[in-house]
Amino acid sequence: MLFRKFTRRGKYALAPALTLPLAGCAKGSPWWIFDPKGVGAHASFIYMMIDVGVMLAIVGVTALLIVWFMWKYRKGSNRGAYDGKWAHSNTLEVAFWGIPIIAVGFLAWAVSVNGSFAVNPYNPTAVTKHLKPNGDPIDIDVIATDWQWLFIYPQYHHIAIANKLVIPAHTPVFFRLTSTAVTTDFFVPQLIGMIDVMPGMRTKDALMSDHLGSYQGIAADYCGAGMSWMLFKTHVVSKADFDRWTQMMENNPDTMSYQQFNRFAEPYINVHEKTPAWGRVEPGLFDHVMLEVMNGKKWPLPMFMTENMFHYLKIQAAEHRA
Amino acid sequence: MLVNVPGPWSPLLGRLALSEIPYTNPILAPLFIVIVLAGIALIAGVTYYGKWGYLWKEWFTTVDHKKLGIMYIILGLIMLFRGFIDGLMMRTQQALGDGPGDNGMKLMGAIHGYLAPFHFGQIYSAHGLIMILLAATPLLVGLMNIIVPLQIGARDMAYPYLNALGLWITTAAVFLIMISLFVGDFSHNGWFGYAPIFEMAYSPGVGVDYWIWTLELVALGTTLGSINFLATVVKMRAPGMTWGRLPVFTWTAVSANIIALTSFPCLQVALALVGADRYLGTHFFTAGFGGNLMLYTNLFWLWGHPEVYFVILPAFGMLSEVIPAFSEKPIFGYITMVLASFAIAGVSWIVWLHHFFTMGMGPYVSTEFSIATMLVGIPTGVKVFNWAFTLYRGRLTFSAAMLWSIGALFLLLIGGLTGMMLAIPAINYMVHNSVFVVAHFHMMLLCIVYAVFSAIIFWFPKIYGFKLNEVWGKIMFWLFSAGTFLVFFPMFMLGFMGETRRLDWPFNPQWGAWFDVQEIGIFVYVLSVLAFLWMLYVSIRDRHANRVHTADAWGTSRSLEWLTDTPVPFYNFAMVPHINALDEVAWRREHGFMDKKPDHFKAIHMPNNTPIALYIGALTFLVGFGLTWRVWWLTLASLILAVILMIYRSNKGDPGYIIPAEKMEEMDRESKARMLSDDSHQVPHGGGFSGGTVTAYAALDRDASGPLTPPSDSRHL
Ligand code: HEM
Ligand SMILES: [Cu+2]
């Protein structure tokens, strides 16, 4: 069984090894972290390279030293002189403390401080520095349910779409995020790092991408049985395409009130990759949901969706096949 | 006041019902039958050979730190195996389940692979909890238990009964998590749990309750142990064993147990509050009604991060014993080594926030914790440099123990490098909650496992009187290392490919090839488990040939535990030795004092065995089980009984017993004779000349006390 799968995947087997050095220029690279397409993700990537460079210099040299000593001082090899008393050297010990201190000092300033501000979710300078030249940013409200994503565009007549995100290229996008039931993480590996999405609370993040394309979005933190299926494709489209898309969405007759949202937010495993859309959701839905949750609103999971969920899964699988 | 639970409840059985037993599950049902049959066989065997009395007297009621340590290690190894099986199942699920849409195998009702999400969730949650708290921790506590008193020249721990209590409470935790396999379900919210998914509304089953009480029990057991270790090292050192002569392993035990003692209560409080939410309907960690779910994450990691250093520090100590012994040199930079241990312990307190940078606490807080985290890298770096320069100008023997230690160094380097990446928020956002983090901490935890295997091989002859088979030890090392590489190199790569952790269904087909490599790796691990078992078998079969006839089994050992007889008699040292130097055994070897006999013997004072620790352990299991299933009468009855037993024992105390000087002399002679003979059939039950008193100590107290009063250097209970 495994073997058959293996040959089926034969073509992938070598691909990763080959694409590693090309990461960054190959299109559709599977190395999402090495192939950033958003300015925040890109900044993170640069910081990672600096950090790894510095650390590898120390770790690599140490590893080589150990291997060299193992070779040189092996008993019976007679390559190195034995000194069974030698266990202390001021010079060396100062160096042993000094080297890591200098390295940590450098990394603290160069990567930790600078990086924290560059991709600070609440005000990422990597994104906000594009605010002026690139004009009007757009806002998107994100509500995570058990186990779907709802994206609301308040500036565009409150159009909304679930499990699919569409954003224009070259435009800063600002997210407000909350969740109905439990905590998870909003994450698009190639565009934007993870940010917690918590019930009864609002977090923020921002992204900007200059690369048209479609990128995988993931619910990155464990949030229950439907987590693996809580995916969303993020489409970065040209401004013209984005305008066309919002136009089309605004013409969608479906609307969503808070009551309807209540039903939408019931536990649902999105095995069918459905992406329902609404021409208009109740304005202020985001704040409404947050307020309700703070006041104790819950969307409880029934027993059959937590412990013994075989029956539920069977129904869903059947639905999927139909 | 009590929270209503979904589903039936009865006063007699609580939430227990026949339907909670997964007798239709095609994995668990056969496993259950196998375990029952094995249990019956075991009981029958013990009865047939008439060993119940022996087990009861020598093991179940013992307070001997060495035997308790051995039981801790056996417990840890069994749980290491259970956790490994969990790992095998997870790897198989991802290898089978990977692929787009409706592809892949579908077995046992799963949509992908063979495990439905809730089942997969239980497996990784149990895996994490078991590996960190019920495998690594007991293995380390067991080794500390055996070695620390020997290294400081004590006859036992400061509180032998408390020591037994710690073991049996930990065992109760093990039973609780094992029974969750067959009665009800375990939690699927990960080993550290998430707020608010562990609240009743989102986890209505008993899984989270199992998780809470298992953790509470190990936390209790470990806290008791840490008090004991600290008291032992502070109060029970042999004369001359100044702080500046303490072996590095004992130093790391001290630093680790300071962390444990101060941080475990944090976990206990956090979990008690979770329990209050679930049982009493409070709102500590709920999303609404003023609860603060972020508080849970803070409280948990306030313990969780110190905990990871609690487990790595003793492992560092083991490396610091093994590497010098096989380099035939003292450890390089003893003082910086000790300082580094305490620096690590200290800094481990102020870094917890790096486990949730993604909560979005703003750049100032993030940066502070980021830099604090990187500070840990400094003393860790110093330690690695010191080990490297211990090899320098040495005479290295690559025995199995040494190989495991050096392997641990390389894992530590990789783990440190990746830890320094995760410490930086800008990088952390991209790989937090991805399998990159999983790979990072497996490098660190495997570093511990390597150190533990190294230590077991190193100290085995001291306890059992014969060495483990070197060839099979090395074969196991290479198989295990190959498995480590095949499983975790792909895991780092998958992290860079953006695979998040805990996916029941890894949706990206491009990950598939790496999953297959990991699957191969896990089967190489299986081979290494077989090699381990074979090593044990061969070693026991050839024990006469591998018998050790000297106190110092390796001929190049350095610290005090190698001074007494092999195998170590129950009283450790016939005469408490006087310590003259750091690396006492090396010092005596150089000065020709190894074979010095004590010029006189003194009566010694030893603690009595007691079954009370075992009873209390069993009762704590019942408390945990009763709470989990909400069987209130059982909970209350067991709790009350346990408290009564504690009070009873505290009032009664233990006067201990005295072994008179003449008897000691006789036992010492016997032990010496046994060490030189080839006969290892007998259970070592006494004797051992300790190298005795070399210097002033002998002159200190010449008039041996009478047989009925405890000697002045014995412990008062
Ligand atoms: C140089 C030293 C180390 C540094 C800088 C470091 C850094 C980190 C960071 C920043 C994280 C959080 C990653 C995330 O969730 O995003 C982490 C996770 C973790 N580390 Fe380390 N670490 C170090 C050493 C260790 C050691 C010695 C251990 C223990 C054996 C360890 C065990 C863990 C564990 C168990 C987790 C993750 C727990 C979980 O999320 O399930 N680390 N480490
Ligand atoms: Cu940590």
Side-chain angles (χ1 to χ4, degrees):
Chain A
M1 183 66 64
L2 246 172
F3 182 69
R4 219 186 65 223
K5 277 178 59 130
F6 202 76
T7 49
R8 171 163 62 78
R9 291 188 192 127
K11 61 177 178 293
Y12 298 117
L14 281 176
L18 294 177
T19 48
L20 183 54
L22 304 177
C25 37
K27 213 170 163 45
S29 158
W31 301 89
W32 289 344
I33 305 301
F34 295 153
D35 185 27
K37 299 290 190 193
V39 291
H42 190 258
S44 289
F45 173 68
I46 301 295
Y47 289 121
M48 183 187 289
M49 290 303 115
I50 300 174
D51 183 69
V52 172
V54 172
M55 286 305 297
L56 212 53
I58 300 178
V59 167
V61 168
T62 315
L64 289 179
L65 262 185
I66 294 176
V67 173
W68 184 47
F69 291 164
M70 283 166 63
W71 173 81
K72 182 156 181 198
Y73 294 103
R74 191 167 60 77
K75 193 172 188 168
S77 74
N78 289 329
R79 276 184 283 255
Y82 170 70
D83 181 353
K85 288 264 177 251
W86 187 79
H88 176 69
S89 147
N90 282 334
T91 329
L92 279 178
E93 285 180 54
V94 168
F96 291 171
W97 286 89
I99 294 169
I101 287 176
I102 292 169
V104 166
F106 171 74
L107 289 176
W109 165 77
V111 192
S112 190
V113 175
N114 290 343
S116 299
F117 285 91
V119 297
N120 163 22
Y122 284 73
N123 184 22
T125 53
V127 174
T128 51
K129 72 178 176 212
H130 298 284
L131 262 180
K132 278 229 181 66
N134 288 3
D136 294 337
I138 72 166
D139 292 327
I140 297 179
D141 287 346
V142 182
I143 307 181
T145 69
D146 270 357
W147 294 286
Q148 301 188 74
W149 296 95
L150 183 66
F151 301 101
I152 306 170
Y153 298 69
Q155 293 149 331
Y156 296 88
H157 297 92
H158 304 281
I159 56 174
I161 185 161
N163 309 324
K164 175 178 168 182
L165 177 59
V166 181
I167 56 170
H170 317 296
T171 313
V173 181
F174 288 89
F175 297 99
R176 299 195 302 159
L177 312 100
T178 191
S179 159
T180 53
V182 302
T183 306
T184 187
D185 271 6
F186 176 80
F187 181 39
V188 188
Q190 284 177 285
L191 297 180
I192 183 174
M194 297 175 199
I195 179 75
D196 281 12
V197 195
M198 295 176 281
M201 261 172 280
R202 189 258 304 114
T203 45
K204 288 181 174 179
D205 212 335
L207 80 80
M208 196 187 87
S209 172
D210 294 327
H211 303 269
L212 304 190
S214 148
Y215 308 101
Q216 185 66 56
I218 307 174
D221 213 355
Y222 183 71
C223 57
M227 189 256 274
S228 304
W229 291 266
M230 194 172 163
L231 304 169
F232 58 99
K233 278 265 160 30
T234 302
H235 300 277
V236 179
V237 298
S238 68
K239 275 188 180 137
D241 281 347
F242 183 72
D243 288 337
R244 262 197 298 283
W245 180 74
T246 50
Q247 277 297 313
M248 187 196 78
M249 288 282 288
E250 282 166 27
N251 294 335
N252 186 333
D254 289 346
T255 61
M256 176 147 68
S257 64
Y258 176 72
Q259 278 68 33
Q260 282 158 320
F261 174 81
N262 244 335
R263 266 198 302 287
F264 169 77
E266 269 162 26
Y268 176 74
I269 301 182
N270 190 24
V271 286
H272 328 314
E273 300 168 45
K274 285 187 184 157
T275 59
W278 295 267
R280 182 183 159 83
V281 300
E282 179 187 299
L285 182 66
F286 184 91
D287 297 319
H288 194 166
V289 169
M290 244 175 65
L291 208 68
E292 289 288 335
V293 174
M294 285 167 78
N295 288 332
K297 169 76 187 155
K298 288 180 196 138
W299 285 266
L301 287 185
M303 273 296 238
F304 65 82
M305 288 183 85
T306 57
E307 314 290 277
N308 297 308
M309 56 186 292
F310 287 122
H311 179 63
Y312 175 78
L313 288 173
K314 249 181 235 149
I315 298 173
Q316 283 230 331
E319 234 183 277
H320 190 27
R321 256 174 251 119
Chain B
M1 191 174 86
L2 293 179
V3 168
N4 286 325
V5 290
W9 180 87
S10 71
L12 186 64
L13 289 175
R15 298 181 84 180
L16 270 174
L18 206 57
S19 61
E20 294 293 351
I21 302 195
Y23 44 79
T24 53
N25 184 307
I27 296 177
L28 291 178
L31 180 65
F32 182 71
I33 294 172
V34 169
I35 289 187
V36 168
L37 289 182
I40 292 175
L42 196 68
I43 291 173
V46 173
T47 314
Y48 180 78
Y49 290 105
K51 289 284 186 199
W52 283 114
Y54 162 75
L55 279 179
W56 181 258
K57 272 214 292 289
E58 295 288 331
W59 296 93
F60 294 156
T61 62
T62 187
V63 293
D64 180 342
H65 70 102
K66 299 175 288 301
K67 286 187 175 156
L68 291 172
I70 290 168
M71 285 191 280
Y72 262 118
I73 291 174
I74 291 173
L75 195 70
L77 286 175
I78 292 174
M79 291 319 275
L80 194 66
F81 183 70
R82 151 90 208 260
F84 169 70
I85 297 296
D86 288 337
L88 192 151
M89 291 177 76
M90 287 188 284
R91 293 271 46 88
T92 308
Q93 161 69 14
Q94 291 200 325
L96 294 177
D98 175 66
D102 209 15
N103 275 2
M105 291 216 331
K106 286 180 282 284
L107 294 171
M108 291 172 54
I111 320 178
H112 295 272
Y114 71 109
L115 296 174
F118 75 97
H119 199 164
F120 185 67
Q122 288 182 53
I123 291 175
Y124 66 65
S125 305
H127 172 82
L129 177 60
I130 286 175
M131 285 307 206
I132 292 186
L133 284 156
L134 299 172
T137 305
L139 284 170
L140 297 165
V141 170
L143 281 159
M144 287 193 283
N145 234 311
I146 297 175
I147 301 304
V148 166
L150 289 173
Q151 279 198 336
I152 62 173
R155 293 208 193 288
D156 204 318
M157 298 282 275
Y159 310 113
Y161 156 70
L162 197 66
N163 200 9
L165 199 58
L167 169 75
W168 293 116
I169 292 178
T170 308
T171 311
V174 165
F175 270 84
L176 198 58
I177 199 170
M178 290 308 277
I179 209 161
S180 78
L181 275 176
F182 305 117
V183 188
D185 291 301
F186 193 68
S187 163
H188 30 86
N189 301 329
W191 74 277
F192 50 84
Y194 288 94
I197 196 174
F198 56 42
E199 296 286 346
M200 212 59 191
Y202 305 112
S203 296
V206 293
V208 175
D209 304 326
Y210 266 127
W211 170 78
I212 294 178
W213 303 118
T214 307
L215 269 174
E216 287 281 19
L217 288 182
V218 261
L220 183 61
T222 313
T223 315
L224 295 181
S226 61
I227 297 172
N228 210 348
F229 281 118
L230 292 177
T232 306
V233 178
V234 172
K235 297 299 286 182
M236 311 265 297
R237 281 168 294 132
M241 179 58 91
T242 58
W243 291 104
R245 292 176 186 162
L246 221 52
V248 178
F249 178 67
T250 301
W251 269 120
T252 56
V254 172
S255 58
N257 282 296
I258 291 177
I259 307 181
L261 181 61
T262 45
S263 69
F264 267 97
C266 221
L267 172 72
Q268 289 175 300
V269 168
L271 288 167
L273 299 183
V274 180
D277 274 8
R278 286 181 64 87
Y279 286 79
L280 307 175
T282 55
H283 292 280
F284 287 106
F285 306 130
T286 55
F289 297 125
N292 188 342
L293 51 96
M294 297 183 293
L295 187 61
Y296 170 78
T297 316
N298 275 280
L299 282 177
F300 185 90
W301 288 114
L302 197 51
W303 160 78
H305 188 83
E307 156 70 15
V308 304
Y309 284 95
F310 167 63
V311 288
I312 199 99
L313 280 171
F316 285 173
M318 293 165 191
L319 302 184
S320 306
E321 298 292 331
V322 174
I323 292 177
F326 293 104
S327 304
E328 304 184 22
K329 264 181 78 212
I331 186 93
F332 182 86
Y334 170 78
I335 294 178
T336 45
M337 216 56 176
V338 174
L339 286 180
S341 301
F342 280 82
I344 291 174
V347 176
S348 79
W349 267 107
I350 50 167
V351 300
W352 76 91
L353 211 128
H354 65 215
H355 290 273
F356 46 94
F357 281 133
T358 57
M359 210 179 251
M361 61 288 286
Y364 293 96
V365 179
S366 294
T367 309
E368 226 173 283
F369 279 86
S370 158
I371 294 174
T373 304
M374 287 199 287
L375 290 183
V376 179
I378 298 172
T380 312
V382 170
K383 283 196 164 250
V384 179
F385 294 144
N386 280 353
W387 287 316
F389 277 80
T390 304
L391 304 178
Y392 181 64
R393 295 191 184 163
R395 219 160 34 195
L396 314 185
T397 316
F398 294 107
S399 65
M402 184 69 160
L403 285 183
W404 284 105
S405 277
I406 291 190
L409 288 189
F410 285 99
L411 293 178
L412 181 62
L413 285 175
I414 303 172
L417 169 71
T418 51
M420 291 294 274
M421 292 166 73
L422 291 167
I424 287 160
I427 304 172
N428 186 285
Y429 294 149
M430 302 310 296
V431 285
H432 170 72
N433 273 327
S434 79
V435 292
F436 182 82
V437 171
V438 181
H440 153 72
F441 67 72
H442 276 89
M443 288 297 105
M444 288 302 195
L445 292 163
L446 282 167
C447 169
I448 297 171
V449 173
Y450 273 57
V452 164
F453 280 127
S454 172
I456 288 179
I457 295 173
F458 183 58
W459 278 311
F460 189 89
K462 192 72 225 169
I463 302 304
Y464 284 101
F466 60 94
K467 288 185 183 175
L468 287 172
N469 186 293
E470 278 285 311
V471 174
W472 280 99
K474 288 182 189 172
I475 292 175
M476 182 200 172
F477 168 80
W478 288 111
L479 285 172
F480 199 93
S481 301
T484 303
F485 179 77
L486 288 173
V487 172
F488 291 101
F489 178 73
M491 200 177 277
F492 278 119
M493 294 304 117
L494 286 165
F496 293 131
M497 295 171 84
E499 193 210 343
T500 48
R501 64 197 281 199
R502 305 190 159 140
L503 290 177
D504 169 60
W505 170 51
F507 51 84
N508 189 344
Q510 284 172 319
W511 298 336
W514 293 112
F515 286 135
D516 293 342
V517 176
Q518 291 185 310
E519 189 70 12
I520 295 169
I522 209 89
F523 281 99
V524 178
Y525 268 134
V526 171
L527 295 182
S528 81
V529 174
L530 295 179
F532 175 71
L533 295 176
W534 190 252
M535 171 181 80
L536 287 185
Y537 167 72
V538 172
S539 309
I540 294 173
R541 189 192 62 196
D542 302 341
R543 61 188 177 280
H544 293 289
N546 298 327
R547 192 116 165 76
V548 173
H549 296 295
T550 48
D552 175 5
W554 303 98
T556 57
S557 321
R558 311 193 65 83
S559 43
L560 191 62
E561 73 272 24
W562 302 101
L563 190 62
T564 186
D565 277 2
T566 306
V568 182
F570 71 93
Y571 45 77
N572 290 358
F573 297 91
M575 188 71 187
V576 173
H578 186 277
I579 313 304
N580 308 277
L582 171 66
D583 291 344
E584 177 73 8
V585 165
W587 183 85
R588 291 196 186 206
R589 194 169 48 232
E590 273 161 31
H591 293 80
F593 290 149
M594 269 311 261
D595 294 329
K596 276 274 185 298
K597 281 184 200 168
D599 50 6
H600 72 284
F601 287 89
K602 289 207 286 187
I604 68 164
H605 180 207
M606 296 298 293
N608 283 314
N609 284 359
T610 170
I612 292 188
L614 177 65
Y615 296 151
I616 294 182
L619 287 169
T620 54
F621 166 78
L622 289 180
V623 173
F625 190 77
L627 280 167
T628 302
W629 289 96
R630 298 174 194 239
V631 190
W632 305 127
W633 63 265
L634 180 66
T635 310
L636 268 182
S638 330
L639 197 62
I640 292 172
L641 217 60
V643 172
I644 291 177
L645 272 178
M646 272 181 222
I647 296 175
Y648 165 75
R649 158 80 199 194
S650 305
N651 282 337
K652 192 167 77 79
D654 175 26
Y657 62 97
I658 307 282
I659 306 175
E662 308 82 70
K663 178 86 173 127
M664 282 308 298
E665 191 164 5
E666 186 195 324
M667 284 201 292
D668 192 36
R669 216 174 313 111
E670 275 172 23
S671 169
K672 190 187 170 201
R674 192 173 315 111
M675 183 160 78
L676 295 176
S677 86
D678 253 338
D679 178 20
S680 65
H681 284 303
Q682 284 158 311
V683 191
H685 69 76
F689 74 86
S690 60
T693 48
V694 168
T695 52
Y697 183 58
L700 273 181
D701 186 18
R702 272 207 174 274
D703 49 326
S705 15
L708 285 175
T709 48
S712 54
D713 61 336
S714 85
R715 161 181 38 12
H716 300 280
L717 291 170

